[in-house]
C-alpha cells in the first residue's frame, strides 16, 4: 500500500523530532509485548545512577564506601534509583547523601545495560551547593568524599569507573562540527544545549562534546522498550527508513526481552520484516537519540523508552578469496520487505537525508553499551 504525502510528512516530522533530542508518548508496542512484563523497581528491574563531577582543576569527585564488602574503597557517587524517583532526582539524592554536595545534571555520558533487568545511567554533573562530606559525617551511605587528581594512589572499588571518568573528560579534536541543520519544517537538528557551552564544570566535554547534551525526557512508559529509527543507505546517498504500516506508518517499537540486550529490538524488527535477508545483513545500533522516563507511579511508569538510531547493511566480506580488499558496489535499494506489516520509506527531504547520512557514517549520539 502506497504511503500518502501526508503520512510521509508525519513520519519525517517524527524523525526530525527524535534527531533534535525530543520524544513522544509510547502509545503502542509492535513487538515482544507478550513476552515482557511491566517494569517495576525492586521487583524485575534495577536502575543505577552514577555521577561524574569535576572541579576547576579537573579532579573528579570520589566517595569512600561504608558497605562491609567494599569498606574504605573509593568509587564515584552512585546508587539505585528508588521508587517514585526520576533518574535525575536519584542522581541528586545520591550525590548529596554520599558526597555532601548539591548537583545539577548536565548530560548523560553513557548507558550500560545487562538486559532490561539492570541498567546504569552515567551522568556528567556540576556542583551547585553544599559542602564536602567529611569523616565526622560518616554514615551507612559513605564514609567521606574527596577530589581525586587521577594520578595519586587510591584504593578503588572497581576499575570500571576509570572508563566512565574518561567519558567525562573525553575530547575529540577530529569530531565533526555540529552545525545545526534546519529542516524543511523549520526544526533545528542536533542542537547543543547552552549549558554545555557556558558552564565551566563541563571542561573538556563541553569544549568538544561527541554528542549533544542529552537528559531524560519526562515521558511515562510502562515497559522497557526501544523505538527504532532503522536506516538503510543505498547508492547515490539514498536513505530508507523501515516502518510499521498500521494503524498509521510509524517507527517500530519493541519491548526489551530479559534474555537479550536492550538494543536487540532492532534485530527483532528486521527478523520479522525481512526474514530471508536477516542473516545476510548486519543490524547495528548506532546510539541513543533520546531517553524517556518518568517513574512517579510504581509499576506503571517505571519503564524506559530508548529512542535509538540503527542501520541495516549488507554483511559483505572485507577481503576476497585471495586476501585482497573486496570492493562491493553499494546496493541500489534495501532488501525487499516480506511481511506486509512493514514498508520501506525513502527519505525525500534533502536536509533530513543529509543529517541521517551523516549520523549513519559518523554517529555523534549518546552511546549505549551492553555488559553481557
Amino acid at each position: 500500500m502506497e504511503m500518502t504525502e501526508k503520512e510521509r510528512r508525519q513520519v519525517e516530522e517524527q524523525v526530525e523530532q527524535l534527531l533534535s533530542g525530543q520524544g513522544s508518548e509510547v502509545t503502542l508496542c509492535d513487538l515482544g509485548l507478550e513476552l515482557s512484563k511491566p517494569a517495576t523497581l525492586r521487583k524485575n528491574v534495577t536502575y543505577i545512577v552514577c555521577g561524574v563531577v569535576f572541579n576547576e582543576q579537573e579532579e573528579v569527585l570520589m566517595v569512600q564506601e561504608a558497605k562491609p564488602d567494599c569498606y574504605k574503597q573509593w568509587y564515584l557517587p552512585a546508587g539505585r534509583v528508588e521508587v517514585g524517583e526520576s533518574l535525575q532526582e536519584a542522581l541528586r539524592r545520591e550525590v548529596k547523601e554520599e558526597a555532601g554536595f548539591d548537583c545539577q545534571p548536565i548530560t548523560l555520558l553513557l548507558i550500560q545495560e545487562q538486559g532490561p533487568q539492570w541498567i546504569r545511567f552515567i551522568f556528567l554533573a556540576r556542583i551547585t551547593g553544599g559542602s564536602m562530606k567529611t569523616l565526622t559525617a560518616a554514615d551507612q551511605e559513605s564514609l567521606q568524599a574527596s577530589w581525586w587528581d587521577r594520578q595519586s594512589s587510591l584504593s578503588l572499588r572497581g576499575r570500571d569507573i576509570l572508563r566512565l571518568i574518561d567519558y567525562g573528560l573525553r575530547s575529540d579534536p577530529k569530531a565533526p562540527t555540529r552545525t545545526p541543520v534546519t529542516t524543511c519544517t523549520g526544526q533545528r537538528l542536533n542542537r547543543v544545549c547552552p549549558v554545555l557551552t557556558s558552564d565551566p564544570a563541563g571542561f573538556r566535554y563541553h569544549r568538544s562534546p561527541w554528542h549533544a547534551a542529552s537528559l531524560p525526557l519526562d515521558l511515562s512508559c510502562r515497559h522497557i522498550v526501544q523505538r527504532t529509527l532503522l536506516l538503510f543507505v543505498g547508492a547515490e546517498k539514498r536513505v530508507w527508513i523501515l516502518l510499521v504500516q498500521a494503524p498509521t506508518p510509524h517507527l517500530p517499537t519493541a519491548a526489551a526481552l530479559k534474555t537479550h540486550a536492550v538494543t536487540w529490538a532492532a534485530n527483532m524488527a528486521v527478523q520479522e520484516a525481512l526474514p530471508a535477508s536477516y542473516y545476510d545483513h548486519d543490524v547495528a545500533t548506532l546510539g541513543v537519540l533520546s531517553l524517556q522516563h518518568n517513574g512517579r507511579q510504581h509499576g506503571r511508569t517505571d519503564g524506559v523508552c530508548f529512542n535509538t538510531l540503527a542501520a541495516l547493511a549488507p554483511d559483505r566480506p572485507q577481503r576476497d578469496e585471495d586476501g585482497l580488499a573486496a570492493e562491493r558496489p553499494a546496493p541500489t535499494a534495501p532488501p525487499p520487505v516480506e511481511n506486509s506489516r512493514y514498508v520501506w520509506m525513502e527519505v525525500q527531504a534533502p536536509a533530513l537525508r543529509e543529517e541521517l547520512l551523516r549520523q549513519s557514517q559518523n554517529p555523534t549520539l549518546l552511546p549505549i553499551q551492553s555488559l553481557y
Side-chain angles (χ1 to χ4, degrees), residues 252-330:
T253 299
L257 304 182
K258 187 176 181 180
T259 53
H260 290 78
V262 168
T263 55
W264 187 252
N267 295 69
M268 293 168 64
V270 174
Q271 283 179 326
E272 183 172 86
L274 319 162
S277 302
Y278 176 71
Y279 292 102
D280 296 326
H281 291 75
D282 286 327
V283 183
T285 297
L286 305 178
V288 176
L289 297 160
S290 59
L291 171 74
Q292 303 176 193
H293 175 260
N294 177 277
R296 293 191 181 91
Q297 294 180 291
H298 187 44
R300 295 188 62 84
T301 64
D302 287 339
V304 176
C305 175
F306 296 91
N307 295 312
T308 62
L309 180 67
L312 180 71
D315 184 12
R316 296 176 292 185
Q318 299 299 309
R319 297 187 178 277
D320 61 22
E321 58 186 13
D322 297 321
L324 302 176
E327 295 187 8
R328 299 285 191 276

Side-chain angles (χ1 to χ4, degrees), residues 151-299:
Q151 303 298 323
S152 305
S153 176
L154 201 67
S155 177
L156 299 179
R157 171 183 157 188
R159 295 184 63 82
D160 62 309
I161 62 171
L162 298 179
R163 180 179 183 183
L164 308 185
I165 294 169
D166 184 60
Y167 267 89
L169 289 168
R170 182 175 171 183
S171 176
D172 183 4
K174 297 180 180 179
T177 302
R178 293 167 342 153
T179 304
V181 175
T182 303
T183 69
C184 56
T185 59
Q187 286 190 292
R188 305 271 281 181
L189 303 185
N190 280 347
R191 294 171 294 179
V192 177
C193 178
V195 70
L196 289 181
T197 59
S198 62
D199 183 358
F203 293 105
R204 275 185 267 175
Y205 179 87
H206 88 264
R207 295 175 196 164
S208 183
W210 70 94
H211 65 79
S214 181
L215 289 172
L217 303 171
D218 186 9
L219 291 168
S220 63
C221 187
R222 191 165 191 182
H223 295 251
I224 297 176
V225 302
Q226 180 186 355
R227 180 187 284 131
T228 305
L229 173 53
L230 181 68
L231 307 180
F232 187 91
V233 178
E236 300 178 353
K237 297 184 178 181
R238 297 171 68 186
V239 180
W240 288 264
I241 298 172
L242 184 67
L243 303 174
V244 177
Q245 297 209 67
T248 60
H250 62 275
L251 302 178
T253 299
L257 304 182
K258 187 176 181 180
T259 53
H260 290 78
V262 168
T263 55
W264 187 252
N267 295 69
M268 293 168 64
V270 174
Q271 283 179 326
E272 183 172 86
L274 319 162
S277 302
Y278 176 71
Y279 292 102
D280 296 326
H281 291 75
D282 286 327
V283 183
T285 297
L286 305 178
V288 176
L289 297 160
S290 59
L291 171 74
Q292 303 176 193
H293 175 260
N294 177 277
R296 293 191 181 91
Q297 294 180 291
H298 187 44

Side-chain angles (χ1 to χ4, degrees), residues 6-188:
K6 180 180 178 181
E7 290 174 333
R8 181 183 300 277
R9 285 305 310 136
Q10 288 175 338
V11 170
E12 291 187 343
E13 286 172 9
Q14 183 186 23
V15 171
E16 290 167 1
Q17 288 178 344
L18 294 183
L19 288 172
S20 67
Q22 300 176 57
S24 60
E25 292 285 354
V26 178
T27 57
L28 52 83
C29 184
D30 302 297
L31 290 159
L33 192 62
E34 69 282 0
L35 301 175
S36 172
K37 294 182 179 180
T40 306
L41 284 177
R42 295 183 177 175
K43 183 178 180 181
N44 60 359
V45 298
T46 297
Y47 300 147
I48 306 294
V49 291
C50 182
V52 180
V53 184
F54 298 103
N55 63 15
E56 293 183 357
Q57 289 72 47
E58 294 194 3
E59 298 170 322
V60 64
L61 182 63
M62 301 287 286
V63 295
Q64 192 174 36
E65 298 282 9
K67 302 181 186 71
D69 60 340
C70 51
Y71 189 70
K72 287 190 175 182
Q73 295 178 328
W74 292 84
Y75 206 69
L76 294 171
R80 295 187 181 189
V81 177
E82 299 294 343
V83 170
E85 286 185 319
S86 70
L87 300 177
Q88 290 161 267
E89 289 168 345
L91 177 72
R92 294 189 188 99
R93 176 184 54 76
E94 288 292 345
V95 173
K96 184 67 173 179
E97 290 176 351
E98 296 191 350
F101 287 119
D102 302 312
C103 78
Q104 177 64 40
I106 296 173
T107 183
L108 282 160
L109 292 174
L110 175 68
I111 299 169
Q112 296 176 315
E113 52 94 359
Q114 293 179 338
Q117 59 270 21
W118 187 95
I119 306 174
R120 180 160 70 167
F121 304 90
I122 298 92
F123 288 85
L124 179 69
R126 64 182 178 90
I127 298 300
T128 59
S131 58
M132 183 80 75
K133 186 174 183 176
T134 64
L135 281 171
T136 58
D139 56 22
Q140 63 182 7
E141 302 296 336
S142 69
L143 300 179
Q144 61 178 326
S146 181
W147 295 107
W148 182 40
D149 62 7
R150 310 186 314 282
Q151 303 298 323
S152 305
S153 176
L154 201 67
S155 177
L156 299 179
R157 171 183 157 188
R159 295 184 63 82
D160 62 309
I161 62 171
L162 298 179
R163 180 179 183 183
L164 308 185
I165 294 169
D166 184 60
Y167 267 89
L169 289 168
R170 182 175 171 183
S171 176
D172 183 4
K174 297 180 180 179
T177 302
R178 293 167 342 153
T179 304
V181 175
T182 303
T183 69
C184 56
T185 59
Q187 286 190 292
R188 305 271 281 181

